[in-house]
Amino acid sequence: MKDNSAGGRARIPSRFGKEQRLARLLPGAQPLFCALFLIVGYVVERAAGGTGALPLYALAYLSGGVGSAAAAWSALRRRRIDVNLLMLLAAGGAAFLGAWWEGGVLLFLFSLSNALEYYAMGRTRRAIRALMALRPSEALVRRGDGQEAVVPAEALRVGDVIIVRPAERLPADGVVVGGVSSIDQAPITGESIPVDVSKGSPVFAGTINQRGSLEVEVTKRPEDTTLARIIALVEQAQSTRAPTQRVIDRFGQVYAILVIAGALVTYGVLTVLRFPGDVAFYRAITLLVVASPCALVISTPAAILSAIANGARKGVLFKGGASLEGLAKVETVVFDKTGTLTTGEPVVTDVVPLVGDEIALLALAGALEQRSEHALADAVVQACRARGIDLPRPERFEAMTGRGVRGIVEGQMVRVGSETFMKEEGVPISEDARSHLIRLRHEGKTPILVGDHRLVGVVAVADTLRPQAEATVRDLRGLGMKRLVMLTGDHRQVAEVIGAHLGLDDVQAELLPQQKAEAVVALTRQAVVAMVGDGVNDAPALASASIGIAMGAAGTDAALETADIVLMGDSLQRLPYAVSLSRQAKRVVMQNLFFASLVIIVLITSALVFGLRLAFGVIGHEGSTVVVVLNGLRLLHFHPRQT
């Protein structure tokens, strides 16, 4: 049922086997011609008798049963018995009894059910085809000699420079080398707000350039773009069967054999009980129809494929039905801190001048930090730029690894660094300054001390929470998550401040990657665990969890490969959405299985006890199949209430 090659296109699991080529080409033609020949045959039978109608009924059988015959023959060659064979046996039995009309109605409704299923399930495929249509077919390339030429998008190569005008879609992944604009990344990351881009910004195929013209250097081949990877992953996911579906498929072969055996036993028992032979045979044929597991077989894929397509449109990639079903069972969610609950980019949170004002303090610190390569130095420089502060160039600069920096700024020696560094440099720290340091550390912030021959002030830097972190934790609580945990390699005090602010149940800090994985393994012994991380540094923990979830993974190959579920954008709010979607999919699958099973039980009882007419059995059987398909397709339009 699936193609595992890199560019393989997944197929929709259904009663359509690959051998039903006619049905796939013209899925509506079978029931149409079958109905036409049935109606004409019925009229001829009433007007001229049964002999004249027989060729027309034969044509109805042929047009209505050709697809099922091809599929049944293919299954038999693989030593399998499927529902198509059951339907053909029932129709053939009806013809043997002279009930051509009823057998024809059976094939008409069965082929109509197949056609409806084909078109309905095709809606989940259209969600993926919509992704394929996002990438333009042509690109405007600037050659080395400065000339511009339009080339097919498939011909783009790494290193090409493409021109993207306003309102155009990007034909390839790349990095901006010229121009300033904003990009609508909703097709890739699901972000509703356009992202500002300038020189050095990464951009993705399928996104929309909003205003300025851009020059973009191609960084990935067409088949390796993030959009292409998304399409491949979703198609692979749709071809990967969920655990529930695998159980049903394994059971289906045995069940089909039992149905045929049950029909034979029914015929034998009724014959022994001295029922007329035609009555016994008619009831056995009816049992073949009503006991066929069509609705059961399609119950799971109808829901799973719709949910996967829904998630793909919202920037959530499920790696298959197993991931979707697994997320629905999660009771514990484990978060990485840096880059997951927090932005992963330190920013200046407090400026505490002890001498002078904030502007003077930042200018003094930024003068030296602009020469430093430390991550915290970047935060100070960015804060200066945000306030429009002109930074003087230091006349001398020296970095003391792990402690701080010092240099001469406008003729005086300036020191920027830790409290230990200041003590080593002989800069006194007053009691007032110590009280500020204690407060800032208690708040989980990193203080940077600034001084000359005295302490001028303190600049505090921290990795801030994502804007959606609190709402995400609140929504997960609302969804009934029993335990929310944070694992981080950061300092314990910083981690505990964030954990307390979010109301997490447990915080484990100062962990190495392997220790994170061990902590996740310990949690999985107690409950079903989802680990949320960046997909790179957290790879061991993601692999150890029941369900690994990588977020902010647009363009990150490692994240796309490592996790079971990928959140393409940086929004944590997609996590509660994914949980809600998975749980709704599970509910729909259970509804479908219950309904399909109930219909089969009722129809079997009616056939054995009350002598249910074949036509009514066909209507009940095929009607239940259509109902479960339509119920599953509701997931294409699912919108959780909490997110």
Side-chain angles (χ1 to χ4, degrees):
M1 293 295 292
K2 64 180 180 178
D3 181 354
N4 290 323
S5 62
R9 297 288 174 82
R11 299 190 179 193
I12 299 296
S14 73
R15 300 202 303 268
F16 283 98
K18 62 182 179 181
E19 296 74 15
Q20 291 178 281
R21 302 187 186 281
L22 291 175
R24 292 182 65 86
L25 291 173
L26 295 171
Q30 286 183 272
L32 178 64
F33 283 106
C34 183
L36 177 63
F37 288 127
L38 269 179
I39 293 172
V40 176
Y42 182 81
V43 172
V44 170
E45 183 179 19
R46 288 292 179 269
T51 304
L54 190 59
L56 293 167
Y57 283 143
L59 288 173
Y61 268 57
L62 179 64
S63 56
V66 61
S68 295
W73 173 246
S74 175
L76 286 172
R77 288 170 58 190
R78 299 193 305 270
R79 298 181 180 180
R80 294 183 60 87
I81 295 176
D82 64 7
V83 67
N84 294 283
L85 179 61
L86 301 185
M87 293 300 100
L88 290 173
L89 289 175
F96 178 77
L97 291 173
W100 286 89
W101 167 256
E102 290 180 313
V105 170
L106 167 63
L107 291 177
F108 163 69
L109 289 176
F110 188 63
S111 61
L112 178 62
S113 172
N114 277 339
L116 290 174
E117 178 188 324
Y118 178 81
Y119 283 124
M121 297 301 286
R123 294 184 62 185
T124 66
R125 295 288 298 150
R126 286 197 291 274
I128 308 308
R129 294 190 189 104
L131 287 175
M132 296 178 185
L134 290 177
R135 198 186 75 176
S137 59
E138 296 179 332
L140 181 61
V141 178
R142 175 171 294 164
R143 302 297 188 187
D145 57 5
Q147 298 296 316
E148 297 179 357
V150 176
V151 302
E154 290 77 10
L156 291 174
R157 294 294 178 262
V158 174
D160 287 347
V161 175
I162 56 177
I163 311 299
V164 185
R165 299 187 179 97
E168 290 183 344
R169 290 188 184 272
L170 275 75
D173 283 11
V175 60
V176 176
V177 295
V180 176
S181 183
S182 59
I183 298 289
D184 179 3
Q185 294 187 347
I188 301 298
T189 66
E191 299 288 349
S192 58
I193 300 175
V195 177
D196 293 332
V197 297
S198 57
K199 187 175 181 180
S201 300
V203 290
F204 308 111
T207 57
I208 306 169
N209 183 22
Q210 297 251 297
R211 39 190 179 86
S213 180
L214 292 175
E215 296 181 15
V216 177
E217 181 179 344
V218 176
T219 57
K220 291 184 180 180
R221 296 178 301 173
E223 61 270 25
D224 296 330
T225 64
T226 300
L227 178 61
R229 297 287 300 281
I230 291 173
I231 294 170
L233 283 172
V234 175
E235 290 189 322
Q236 179 183 348
Q238 290 196 332
S239 69
T240 304
R241 299 181 178 185
T244 301
Q245 185 182 349
R246 290 198 296 269
V247 171
I248 291 174
D249 289 345
R250 287 196 297 268
F251 172 71
Q253 171 72 5
V254 177
Y255 182 82
I257 295 174
L258 291 176
V259 169
I260 294 176
L264 294 174
V265 170
T266 298
Y267 176 77
V269 170
L270 293 179
T271 301
V272 170
L273 295 176
R274 299 187 181 279
F275 277 74
D278 57 343
V279 173
F281 192 72
Y282 187 89
R283 290 197 181 184
I285 293 300
T286 303
L287 181 64
L288 274 180
V289 174
V290 300
S292 297
C294 298
L296 276 175
V297 169
I298 200 62
S299 292
T300 301
I304 296 297
L305 301 187
S306 297
I308 289 174
N310 182 314
R313 292 202 303 262
K314 302 291 179 59
V316 178
L317 301 186
F318 293 95
K319 293 286 190 72
S323 300
L324 185 70
E325 285 194 0
L327 185 60
K329 302 174 184 177
V330 167
E331 299 175 333
T332 298
V333 178
V334 178
F335 296 95
D336 171 49
K337 182 185 78 70
T338 306
T340 302
L341 290 174
T342 66
T343 61
E345 298 179 359
V347 297
V348 171
T349 58
D350 300 76
V351 180
V352 184
L354 300 175
V355 178
D357 57 18
E358 293 185 5
I359 299 299
L361 174 59
L362 280 173
L364 201 60
L368 290 182
E369 294 288 36
Q370 66 180 323
R371 298 283 297 274
S372 174
E373 297 180 354
H374 197 281
L376 298 184
D378 292 337
V380 175
V381 174
Q382 290 296 329
C384 292
R385 290 174 180 169
R387 291 168 169 80
I389 300 173
D390 293 327
L391 299 178
R393 292 186 176 276
E395 301 163 26
R396 199 177 79 189
F397 175 84
E398 183 180 7
M400 314 299 289
T401 305
R403 292 177 292 168
V405 296
R406 63 187 174 194
I408 296 177
V409 179
E410 296 181 341
Q412 65 176 345
M413 177 62 73
V414 177
R415 301 165 177 86
V416 179
S418 65
E419 182 178 358
T420 301
F421 179 60
M422 289 299 173
K423 290 178 180 178
E424 292 175 354
E425 293 291 303
V427 178
I429 300 175
S430 65
E431 289 302 318
D432 182 36
R434 292 185 190 280
S435 65
H436 286 297
L437 294 175
I438 293 172
R439 175 182 63 81
L440 293 172
R441 290 187 179 117
H442 182 72
E443 294 174 356
K445 301 170 183 176
T446 301
I448 300 174
L449 284 67
V450 183
D452 40 34
H453 61 280
R454 58 188 173 168
L455 190 62
V456 176
V458 180
V459 177
V461 177
D463 182 10
T464 57
L465 282 173
R466 287 184 179 273
Q468 314 91 359
E470 292 185 60
T472 298
V473 170
R474 182 177 62 251
D475 288 345
L476 289 175
R477 294 286 189 196
L479 290 170
M481 289 296 171
K482 295 180 180 179
R483 197 174 185 190
L484 301 178
V485 180
M486 181 173 72
L487 304 178
T488 180
D490 207 345
H491 297 295
R492 182 170 303 280
Q493 189 172 29
V494 174
E496 289 179 349
V497 169
I498 292 176
H501 181 78
L502 293 175
L504 302 180
D505 299 305
D506 186 21
V507 173
Q508 299 182 40
E510 301 176 2
L511 300 177
L512 297 174
Q514 187 57 40
Q515 292 173 317
K516 283 187 181 182
E518 292 170 357
V520 170
V521 170
L523 289 169
T524 58
R525 297 192 185 105
Q526 305 169 26
V528 180
V529 175
M531 170 69 191
V532 188
D534 61 15
V536 181
N537 297 329
D538 298 309
L542 289 172
S544 300
S546 309
I547 298 292
I549 303 174
M551 67 166 295
T556 306
D557 291 343
L560 291 173
E561 296 296 338
T562 302
D564 301 299
I565 300 170
V566 179
L567 310 182
M568 295 303 297
D570 282 334
S571 176
L572 265 177
Q573 282 295 92
R574 287 190 179 83
L575 180 57
Y577 157 75
V579 173
S580 298
L581 177 62
S582 66
R583 291 182 177 179
Q584 180 64 16
K586 181 180 178 181
R587 284 192 289 269
V588 170
V589 168
M590 291 300 105
Q591 291 169 3
N592 283 351
L593 292 176
F594 175 78
F595 175 75
S597 300
L598 181 63
V599 169
I600 288 177
I601 292 172
V602 171
L603 291 178
I604 289 177
T605 303
S606 300
L608 293 177
V609 178
F610 304 109
L612 179 72
R613 297 288 298 176
L614 179 59
F616 291 115
V618 169
I619 292 172
H621 176 268
E622 297 304 324
S624 66
T625 302
V626 173
V627 168
V628 298
V629 169
L630 295 179
N631 190 43
L633 289 176
R634 290 191 302 117
L635 288 167
L636 284 171
H637 308 289
F638 171 72
H639 296 286
R641 297 176 182 175
Q642 283 189 292
T643 57

